[in-house]
Amino acid sequence: MDIIFNLRGDLIKIPRYELEVITEESWFISDLVNNTESNNQEEIYNLWEDKNIFMSIIDSIRYRQILLNKTVTIEVA
């Protein structure tokens, strides 16, 4: 089952197992997903965040180092 994030109109799908693997520690996204009742349907979370910044955060957590998408500058993040 995928988790869908609606980021200012851009939809990002992340497989639930992928999010569980990268989120060993408690943080906003993992708490949001884990504390929502699931009814075995794709869940959609609306976040007012830029898609590229969101993906930079996900990739940084996944690879355990700060990674910025090519379109993201440190001033924006």
Side-chain angles (χ1 to χ4, degrees):
M1 176 173 59
D2 291 337
I3 299 169
I4 302 171
F5 294 96
N6 180 0
L7 307 165
R8 298 183 185 179
D10 290 324
L11 298 180
I12 300 289
K13 284 187 176 185
I14 299 177
R16 179 177 279 282
Y17 70 86
E18 178 72 20
L19 194 63
E20 290 171 354
V21 167
I22 67 171
T23 57
E24 296 172 357
E25 299 165 7
S26 178
W27 65 295
F28 175 74
I29 298 296
S30 65
D31 290 347
L32 177 69
V33 171
N34 293 331
N35 293 324
T36 304
E37 291 185 27
S38 176
N39 54 6
N40 292 327
Q41 297 179 6
E42 287 185 332
E43 301 165 36
I44 299 175
Y45 297 93
N46 297 304
L47 300 174
W48 190 248
E49 188 59 74
D50 179 78
K51 174 182 83 168
N52 294 318
I53 291 175
F54 179 82
M55 289 310 300
S56 293
I57 293 168
I58 295 295
D59 289 340
S60 293
I61 292 170
R62 176 183 291 130
Y63 297 110
R64 309 254 188 252
Q65 61 182 340
I66 296 175
L67 300 172
L68 296 177
N69 187 294
K70 291 179 183 178
T71 63
V72 176
T73 63
I74 195 71
E75 291 83 18
V76 174

